[in-house]
Amino acid sequence: MSVLTRIPAPDGVAAAAQYSHVVLGTGRFVAIAGQLALDEQGRLVGEGDPAAQARQVFENLRRCLASAGATFGDVVKLTYFVTDMAHMPALRAARAGHIPDDRLPAASAVQVAALVRPEFLMEVEAFAVVAP
């Protein structure tokens, strides 16, 4: 695991409740492509169910991080793409199963008109820094 410094509220910036404004560290950079709610066979998990899709997305992120020798503890940035901001509580709940509140990465949430297929409700990408 890398040594990361989280700055939830830099001077002059309002504190964020669900993310850190700044996360910095030294080490190997890992970029994880946007993950969708697909199982190992490429089948959609949780059609119409934001909570089920969010859990699968975070499981896919965990597996991708592991393949790079990283964990959620190494994540410095998450970007959420959602077709409806109403899906954010499901994503926060799934995230909470992997990342404690005192280790929150920087984050952005963007509502999009559509993802690659209409049945996908969300996509999440991650950036991590792993100790050399």
Side-chain angles (χ1 to χ4, degrees), residues 1-2 4 28-32 58-76 98 126-131:
M1 179 183 293
S2 63
L4 301 177
R28 198 169 37 89
F29 179 76
V30 178
I32 305 296
F58 270 85
E59 177 58 18
N60 291 348
L61 288 169
R62 185 194 66 74
R63 290 175 179 173
C64 289
L65 288 163
S67 75
T71 69
F72 278 105
D74 301 311
V75 172
V76 296
H98 295 277
F127 299 103
V129 176
V130 181

Side-chain angles (χ1 to χ4, degrees), residues 50 81-89 91 110-113 121-122:
F81 301 97
V82 294
T83 57
D84 187 331
M85 281 296 174
H87 303 322
M88 287 305 299
L91 279 164
V110 181
Q111 183 170 329
V112 296
L121 304 176
M122 61 197 62

Side-chain angles (χ1 to χ4, degrees):
M1 179 183 293
S2 63
V3 177
L4 301 177
T5 301
R6 290 169 175 77
I7 305 171
D11 290 342
V13 177
Q18 296 294 326
Y19 59 92
S20 298
H21 279 288
V22 179
V23 181
L24 57 118
T26 302
R28 198 169 37 89
F29 179 76
V30 178
I32 305 296
Q35 295 299 300
L36 299 162
L38 295 172
D39 67 12
E40 294 98 356
Q41 288 75 41
R43 294 180 303 234
L44 174 67
V45 172
E47 185 163 0
D49 182 347
Q53 287 199 22
R55 286 190 301 272
Q56 184 64 45
V57 164
F58 270 85
E59 177 58 18
N60 291 348
L61 288 169
R62 185 194 66 74
R63 290 175 179 173
C64 289
L65 288 163
S67 75
T71 69
F72 278 105
D74 301 311
V75 172
V76 296
K77 176 80 171 22
L78 291 171
T79 305
Y80 304 96
F81 301 97
V82 294
T83 57
D84 187 331
M85 281 296 174
H87 303 322
M88 287 305 299
L91 279 164
R92 285 188 201 106
R95 182 200 64 209
H98 295 277
I99 304 172
D101 285 347
D102 65 340
R103 301 200 44 84
L104 292 174
S108 299
V110 181
Q111 183 170 329
V112 296
L115 293 167
V116 68
R117 291 191 342 224
E119 61 270 27
F120 294 123
L121 304 176
M122 61 197 62
E123 181 172 338
V124 181
E125 67 181 17
F127 299 103
V129 176
V130 181

